[in-house]
Amino acid sequence: MLPLLSHQQTLEPVYLAYLDALEQSEYSGDIDKRYSARLVQATDNSVYQFLPQAVLYPKNQQDIQIALTLAASDTFRSVTFSARGGGTGTNGQSLTHGLILDVSRYMNRVLEVNAEQGWVRVEAGVVKDALNDVLRPHGFFFSPDLSTSNRATIGGMINTDASGAGSLVYGKTSDHVLALRSVLIDGSVLDTHPLDAGLLCNPDNVSDNPLGQKLISAVAAVCREKRTQIENQFPKLNRFLTGYDLKHVWNDSLTQFDLSRILTGSEGTLAVITEAKLNLTPLPTERAMVNIKYDSFQSALRHAPSLVAARATVVETVDSKVLNLAREDIVWHSVSDLIQEVPGKVIDGLNMVEFAGDTVEVEQKLASLEAVLTEQISKGECGVLGYQVTQDKPSIEKIYGMRKKAVGLLGATKGRRKPIAFAEDTAVPPEKLADYIMEFRAVLDGHNLQYGMFGHVDAGVLHVRPALDMCDVEDEKLLRVISDQVAALTLKYGGLMWGEHGKGVRGEYGPAVFGDELYGVLQDIKGLFDPDNRLNPGKLVAPKQTGSLYYDVDSVKRGKFDRQIPIEVRDAFPDVMNCNGNGLCFNYSSYSPMCPSFKVTGDRVQSPKGRAGLMREWLRLLEAEGVDVNALAKAKPLGLLQRVQNTLNAQRDYDYSHEVMESLKGCLACKACSGQCPVKVDVPKFRAQFFNIYYQRYLRPAKDYLVAGIEDSLPLMAAAPRLTNFAAQNPLSQWVIKKAIGYVDAPALSVPTLKQRLDGHASRGYDLAALQAIPEEARSQFVLVVQDPFNSFYDSGLVLRFIQLIEKLGLKPVLLPYKPNGKPTHIKGFLDKFAKTAQSSADFLNQVHKLGMPMVGIDPALVLCYRDEYREVLGANRGHFEVKLANEWLLNVIKDLPAKAPQDKQYTWFSHCTESTAKPNTANEWTKIFAHFGAKLTAVNLGCCGMAGTYGHEAENLERSKALFEMSWLQTLAKIEQPQVLVSGYSCRSQVKRFAGYKPKHPLEALLELANI
């Protein structure tokens, strides 16, 4: 039996009292004390897990001032804070056991763009790519680049002094900070910007904040006094190190001082940055990328310095491991033509070289490099196997998209050991990189570890992620050993262990880099800003009077909790366990399919990463209660009376399972995560597993039974469609259904029905024996149409037109008998029923499959269910039947048909979420098909429409469903003439009809029109 689960992680009394006092104040932001919210913020993109006391979401700077001012009282002086943005840290940068100040939910505005002077003013929570969306029309961009740019915030970039591709030209974040506004530990506001040295003589000239005056004077004095030591001690690198930038706080001539340089890279340990004024970079007029292929990764590394010497803007590299993982991912379809194989050769390394600037300059550099590469290939030099050039901006962005996804792709490595981040952003002088990496590899090879490598060879930064199993205690110990070895190795080569992603828990290595005296200066500076060590405590340095750092590389890791889950349970929930926290599901763009529930709520609990984290804890708590989850999944539900009682008591009795349910029921089951997540986390899969167990203890809502039973009910309802529609579509019935069941806007059955439309048609009257009697050579002329519940019963005209299209193409359609697919039952977690339905349908389809005639389905979600959920649930019992998508089938058919002359017909295709992520090449396939029919098809990239099967029909989801539609679909549809709109998913067409007021065509209907011209 599923027991009541309690986490025992109650809030400390002082934090409860503080949060109560904050609620009574003028603080206007959100305060989230839910265990689920705390869990989601307990992890980032690292191996660490620190559970915070609560999460604060300030709506403005005043909220942060109120929060810190309240905490400055003696009563709450033990309350600590850590500012957080996108949560993309790779070493626990923003993790804390205190309070999280998450600025990403509300403080994400672009406040001012000054194109004439080339600067922008932003709040700290704005996402980097979102900022560039605003800047692009002005001809500028914020140039420091990073792989997590679609979810990383400007505040996070400032706090880690982030940089990435092209940093030799574009610099680091600190090179672009013109001014900062921050809230200090006492709640006061400090503005920082460059100051002439002469102004420092009078504190009133530098700030109207007394604490700020003290800080500016003290830091200016000590950094000037220690100038020679700082110059000698600090590594000579393009990449700087977080904590703290004593070197650049003064300019080279000591005529200008800027405290912002101390705050930049301080990882939130000195102040809470709320606003930034940033300088901007003009967009280049011309870009060109050269993808150079090598016989080995070492060849790529050793060739890189000559590419830098060719004055390239960017030189990025990836090894064969990353390349091979990319080939298996959804991203490869977009770049395969740009990184073609070299006949007879194996590509084991790749350098991506970009030139950006004015047209003449780029063309000259490109021609020069091409000449050198051509000669090297002809002579067999430098391990160069070949190269490809692209000057198409969208193609260049696709290459970078693949490179950016490399971080997450490494998490898709097979086996229990996964490449993880802990020593992966080391930096050394570029000219020493190849030798350094050879030694680094020797260290890892000495421990018999697998690893992947990629990074910015032009800046001497290479990301190396050794594969370890954090559920293995010995591997966790090995992490410490390797960290120590890599820290020593970077010092040997004059480099840094943390060259790009911030220091986080690695502060213990600071004294070896800075030296005792300068490390003492860092401690003093921390003490000036935060004497009680309350801002992101335990990171970088601690004030001298508070003792040593209490976070290090041995701090508590996610693996400590995960290893409490038995191996057989972990194996039963692989999608839950494999989430590595890379956070791609936090992509800000409303035009990206993943993840709609996060986009519409702004709540990280409502995301694939959040859901996976909550499920891991659920599995751990069940094990702590001595419950065998695998046995529980096969158990029968409690008796009806007991489930009624448990449901009635749900408001009274805390059960952690309710928090998991609250997260999972917000999932649209669109399956975008299963395709777009680098490690293929399939939330709908483990969601169904959870529902199946949860409802053993509690009552199911009535609408679940309605959804699960719809496939079986439809043939009965279609026997009297007008009566059924009258009974269900009149206002009184709709009101009753909404109030009693929670279902809204149910579609009407087709009238006439499919049976009536095809009365007497040759495609009707399926007869297996007659089909088996058809000679083998004649069977290729037949097409078997696989029915689905939505199109057959709610859009029968489409099925009819598909049959007419088949006939128009000179083939013979056969309508197979209707068999329930089972997807609705799977979505709602009726797994036993789904298994029975799937097996019945699979048995039938396998029998038909033996005919050797193509089977084609219309709705993408249902067809793909045969491939995914059937294989998952049935295993070998699924058999080998294949149901093709209409576009897959047509792509083969048109090979034998003459192409039609070009016509003045244009269409725009809108994809279904499941289709676009599971079959990313679908747009290209439809485009090719329409071109064959003489028409032009354009595909648009959009987020979820908000319907997602039955999600949008559930009353509690209606508001969010509409909001999702308005995010990207509504405005895109408004720009296109209605007859040109083509939508392949039934649920998407229903949503357009509901909120845009018209029913769009399916691509098959447009093809029939074209075929009849």
Side-chain angles (χ1 to χ4, degrees):
M1 183 186 81
L2 176 65
L4 287 172
L5 295 177
S6 178
H7 53 75
Q8 305 296 323
Q9 297 292 334
T10 56
L11 272 64
E12 295 175 18
V14 67
Y15 283 93
L16 271 175
Y18 171 80
L19 294 173
D20 288 342
L22 189 62
E23 286 177 338
Q24 300 303 314
S25 72
E26 295 182 2
Y27 176 84
S28 64
D30 300 339
I31 300 172
D32 202 337
K33 294 179 277 191
R34 294 175 300 164
Y35 186 50
S36 55
R38 296 165 62 199
L39 273 173
V40 171
Q41 300 275 23
T43 59
D44 54 5
N45 192 14
S46 72
V47 297
Y48 298 96
Q49 181 166 326
F50 305 161
L51 184 69
Q53 294 288 314
V55 186
L56 306 182
Y57 298 95
K59 289 188 175 179
N60 48 50
Q61 178 180 284
Q62 185 180 5
D63 280 343
I64 296 176
Q65 291 178 251
I66 292 170
L68 293 183
T69 300
L70 176 62
S73 65
D74 291 339
T75 305
F76 303 124
R77 199 166 285 275
S78 60
V79 172
T80 65
F81 301 85
S82 179
R84 181 165 173 144
T88 58
T90 54
N91 280 278
Q93 278 79 348
S94 63
L95 301 186
T96 183
H97 288 106
L99 295 176
I100 294 283
L101 279 169
D102 190 329
V103 299
S104 67
R105 179 176 289 181
Y106 296 118
M107 297 181 63
N108 51 21
R109 297 176 300 161
V110 177
L111 300 171
E112 183 180 2
V113 178
N114 190 318
E116 289 185 3
Q117 297 180 19
W119 56 261
V120 66
R121 191 165 58 87
V122 301
E123 290 182 313
V126 68
V127 171
K128 194 258 183 182
D129 280 357
L131 170 60
N132 279 339
D133 286 347
V134 174
L135 298 175
R136 199 170 294 112
H138 298 279
F140 289 95
F141 72 119
F142 182 59
S143 55
D145 197 14
L146 55 165
S147 64
T148 55
S149 59
N150 60 20
R151 61 239 192 233
T153 62
I154 296 299
M157 292 181 67
I158 292 170
N159 274 296
T160 56
D161 197 8
S163 58
S167 64
L168 280 184
V169 175
Y170 295 133
K172 311 170 295 296
T173 299
S174 57
D175 297 319
H176 297 271
V177 172
L178 299 176
L180 296 176
R181 175 165 289 179
S182 309
V183 180
L184 301 176
I185 189 61
D186 64 350
S188 64
V189 176
L190 176 63
D191 290 321
T192 55
H193 50 82
L195 297 168
D196 290 338
L199 296 175
L200 300 179
C201 299
N202 184 350
D204 291 336
N205 291 334
V206 300
S207 177
D208 56 4
N209 181 332
L211 177 56
Q213 294 174 359
K214 175 184 174 183
L215 295 172
I216 290 171
S217 298
V219 174
V222 72
C223 290
R224 186 164 190 150
E225 177 188 341
K226 304 289 185 180
R227 185 71 175 176
T228 301
Q229 241 176 305
I230 292 168
E231 290 281 0
N232 293 336
Q233 187 72 35
F234 277 35
K236 306 297 188 290
L237 293 170
N238 162 261
R239 302 303 179 89
F240 185 62
L241 57 163
T242 55
Y244 304 113
D245 192 352
L246 308 180
K247 181 175 181 179
H248 296 100
V249 72
W250 281 102
N251 64 357
D252 291 340
S253 60
L254 299 180
T255 58
Q256 197 173 72
F257 171 84
D258 187 2
L259 191 66
S260 296
R261 294 302 292 245
I262 287 285
L263 294 171
T264 303
S266 64
E267 298 191 19
T269 61
L270 303 180
V272 179
I273 296 169
T274 59
E275 288 183 22
K277 181 180 178 182
L278 311 167
N279 73 1
L280 304 175
T281 305
L283 287 166
T285 55
E286 183 74 19
R287 297 173 68 186
M289 176 168 280
V290 186
N291 296 314
I292 310 174
K293 307 156 192 179
Y294 298 88
D295 60 2
S296 70
F297 184 56
Q298 185 172 357
S299 294
L301 287 178
R302 296 201 178 278
H303 197 226
S306 66
L307 303 175
V308 176
R311 296 179 297 150
T313 307
V314 178
V315 183
E316 295 281 294
T317 190
V318 295
D319 69 359
S320 58
K321 190 175 191 68
V322 174
L323 274 177
N324 290 334
L325 286 168
R327 288 187 179 100
E328 298 171 8
D329 186 75
I330 185 176
V331 76
W332 192 253
H333 85 279
S334 65
V335 299
S336 57
D337 290 341
L338 307 172
I339 311 174
Q340 296 175 3
E341 297 297 330
V342 178
K345 304 289 183 180
V346 177
I347 302 172
D348 274 342
L350 180 75
N351 276 332
M352 298 167 284
V353 183
E354 184 187 353
F355 298 104
D358 64 64
T359 303
V360 174
E361 177 189 16
V362 168
E363 293 293 346
Q364 288 177 344
K365 292 179 179 179
L366 181 61
S368 177
L369 179 60
E370 286 191 83
V372 171
L373 292 175
T374 300
E375 183 177 357
Q376 289 173 336
I377 293 170
S378 66
K379 294 181 178 179
E381 295 177 347
C382 302
V384 179
L385 301 178
Y387 68 92
Q388 284 178 257
V389 178
T390 180
Q391 292 178 267
D392 173 53
K393 181 181 175 183
S395 296
I396 293 173
E397 293 303 327
K398 289 174 183 176
I399 292 289
Y400 278 128
M402 184 274 288
R403 157 61 187 87
K404 287 184 176 185
K405 206 173 184 183
V407 181
L409 286 174
L410 284 171
T413 303
K414 305 299 182 185
R416 300 200 185 279
R417 280 182 162 180
K418 306 288 186 183
I420 58 175
F422 64 95
E424 52 89 54
D425 59 330
T426 59
V428 298
E431 65 275 11
K432 299 180 180 179
L433 181 62
D435 291 333
Y436 163 74
I437 289 298
M438 293 307 109
E439 280 205 55
F440 197 154
R441 296 179 83 163
V443 168
L444 300 180
D445 291 342
H447 295 292
N448 297 313
L449 295 178
Q450 298 293 314
Y451 46 88
M453 296 186 172
F454 57 96
H456 325 294
V457 287
D458 50 355
V461 176
L462 205 62
H463 303 302
V464 183
R465 293 198 169 190
L468 296 172
D469 178 8
M470 287 293 95
C471 289
D472 185 328
V473 175
E474 295 305 313
D475 270 15
E476 183 174 344
K477 293 177 181 177
L478 191 55
L479 184 147
R480 153 63 72 179
V481 172
I482 295 171
S483 292
D484 290 346
Q485 291 177 312
V486 172
L489 186 63
T490 53
L491 284 178
K492 172 184 174 181
Y493 278 89
L496 286 168
M497 188 181 187
W498 51 93
E500 183 169 289
H501 296 159
K503 192 185 298 182
V505 299
R506 299 178 291 182
E508 62 183 285
Y509 298 115
V513 174
F514 294 102
D516 290 340
E517 187 171 350
L518 289 184
Y519 188 77
V521 172
L522 301 183
Q523 291 177 301
D524 290 338
I525 290 175
K526 170 67 172 175
L528 288 169
F529 277 87
D530 182 24
D532 298 318
N533 199 22
R534 299 169 58 213
L535 292 176
N536 203 7
K539 313 291 176 57
L540 304 191
V541 295
K544 288 178 179 176
Q545 68 272 20
T546 62
S548 59
L549 290 171
Y550 52 82
Y551 291 136
D552 57 25
V553 296
D554 294 322
S555 290
V556 177
K557 301 174 183 67
R558 199 187 98 182
K560 173 187 175 182
F561 305 98
D562 289 353
R563 71 174 68 109
Q564 297 173 34
I565 304 169
I567 290 178
E568 57 270 19
V569 175
R570 287 184 241 156
D571 289 345
F573 292 83
D575 296 275
V576 171
M577 305 307 301
N578 287 342
C579 175
N580 63 4
N582 74 83
L584 186 59
C585 47
F586 298 147
N587 186 335
Y588 80 102
S589 175
S590 58
Y591 290 86
S592 169
M594 185 175 69
C595 163
S597 56
F598 169 67
K599 293 184 198 305
V600 77
T601 63
D603 185 355
R604 297 184 192 273
V605 169
Q606 297 290 339
S607 70
K609 177 182 175 182
R611 293 176 176 120
L614 299 190
M615 279 291 291
R616 282 199 306 273
E617 178 67 356
W618 185 69
L619 296 174
R620 187 187 73 83
L621 291 175
L622 282 173
E623 175 60 24
E625 291 287 334
V627 176
D628 182 340
V629 181
N630 289 334
L632 188 62
K634 301 172 185 176
K636 298 296 182 183
L638 296 173
L640 177 60
L641 290 179
Q642 185 63 60
R643 281 182 286 139
V644 169
Q645 184 178 354
N646 290 340
T647 302
L648 292 174
N649 292 338
Q651 295 297 321
R652 184 194 68 189
D653 300 332
Y654 175 81
D655 186 351
Y656 173 67
S657 295
H658 297 328
E659 296 205 48
V660 182
M661 170 57 76
E662 189 64 27
S663 172
L664 290 175
K665 75 178 184 179
C667 169
L668 282 75
C670 66
K671 293 183 74 71
C673 49
S674 66
Q676 288 209 323
C677 171
V679 293
K680 308 296 182 290
V681 170
D682 187 342
V683 174
K685 175 186 167 186
F686 66 73
R687 174 183 185 255
Q689 291 173 290
F690 175 82
F691 282 2
N692 183 53
I693 294 174
Y694 179 86
Y695 287 120
Q696 293 176 14
R697 181 181 180 88
Y698 299 103
L699 287 177
R700 283 183 176 274
K703 64 177 180 289
D704 282 18
Y705 292 102
L706 175 67
V707 172
I710 191 67
E711 288 189 290
D712 294 326
S713 304
L714 280 170
L716 295 174
M717 294 190 294
R722 296 184 189 275
L723 178 60
T724 301
N725 287 342
F726 173 77
Q729 298 293 318
N730 70 80
L732 178 60
S733 295
Q734 290 178 336
W735 182 85
V736 171
I737 293 171
K738 178 179 180 180
K739 296 298 181 181
I741 302 179
Y743 212 71
V744 296
D745 301 333
L749 292 171
S750 293
V751 179
T753 64
L754 182 59
K755 181 178 180 181
Q756 292 167 338
R757 289 178 187 271
L758 292 176
D759 188 32
H761 194 277
S763 63
R764 284 279 309 278
Y766 164 79
D767 185 333
L768 180 60
L771 291 174
Q772 289 172 332
I774 296 172
E776 292 281 346
E777 61 273 13
R779 293 185 182 185
S780 62
Q781 295 299 302
F782 288 80
V783 180
L784 308 180
V785 178
V786 179
Q787 297 191 62
D788 68 77
F790 305 114
N791 289 303
S792 287
F793 294 98
Y794 293 113
D795 197 0
S796 61
L798 170 59
V799 183
L800 170 64
R801 286 182 280 279
F802 182 36
I803 287 172
Q804 291 171 338
L805 176 63
I806 295 171
E807 292 177 319
K808 190 70 178 178
L809 298 178
L811 301 171
K812 300 175 182 179
V814 176
L815 185 69
L816 293 181
Y818 168 71
K819 293 283 289 183
N821 172 281
K823 187 172 179 67
T825 59
H826 185 274
I827 286 174
K828 292 300 182 182
F830 291 90
L831 295 187
D832 288 344
K833 182 175 181 179
F834 173 72
K836 292 175 183 176
T837 300
Q839 191 63 69
S840 175
S841 293
D843 290 344
F844 169 73
L845 293 171
N846 276 308
Q847 187 180 41
V848 176
H849 174 68
K850 296 175 182 177
L851 294 170
M853 300 174 181
M855 292 189 288
V856 187
I858 296 177
D859 193 78
L862 278 295
V863 171
L864 293 171
C865 180
Y866 292 130
R867 304 180 189 182
D868 189 359
E869 284 87 349
Y870 272 44
R871 185 168 284 109
E872 178 67 35
V873 171
L874 301 179
N877 291 330
R878 178 197 178 277
H880 301 288
F881 76 88
E882 180 185 19
V883 178
K884 290 182 177 292
L885 292 163
N887 48 288
E888 294 172 332
W889 170 72
L890 281 165
L891 209 58
N892 286 324
V893 171
I894 61 174
K895 293 177 182 177
D896 301 321
L897 297 175
K900 292 179 71 73
Q903 306 172 45
D904 188 21
K905 289 284 188 178
Q906 295 189 9
Y907 298 95
T908 301
W909 176 70
F910 290 66
S911 175
H912 185 284
C913 286
T914 306
E915 179 182 30
S916 61
T917 53
K919 292 280 297 178
N921 202 42
T922 302
N924 293 334
E925 293 176 358
W926 278 122
T927 301
K928 186 174 181 179
I929 292 165
F930 271 78
H932 192 89
F933 279 77
K936 179 181 180 182
L937 181 76
T938 302
V940 290
N941 296 317
L942 298 176
C944 181
C945 74
M947 180 58 81
T950 62
Y951 173 90
H953 287 303
E954 297 182 20
E956 63 182 343
N957 300 328
L958 180 59
E959 186 177 334
R960 280 180 284 187
S961 176
K962 184 177 181 181
L964 283 166
F965 184 75
E966 292 173 348
M967 279 185 181
S968 59
W969 278 67
L970 185 62
Q971 54 191 324
T972 305
L973 287 166
K975 301 173 184 176
I976 304 169
E977 295 182 16
Q978 293 181 12
Q980 296 180 1
V981 175
L982 305 180
V983 182
S984 51
Y986 171 78
S987 60
C988 305
R989 295 197 304 279
S990 298
Q991 188 80 321
V992 173
K993 181 179 180 181
R994 178 163 71 158
F995 291 133
Y998 70 95
K999 181 184 174 184
K1001 287 181 291 197
H1002 189 283
L1004 293 172
E1005 295 174 296
L1007 290 175
L1008 180 60
E1009 292 175 0
L1010 292 170
N1012 286 327
I1013 295 176

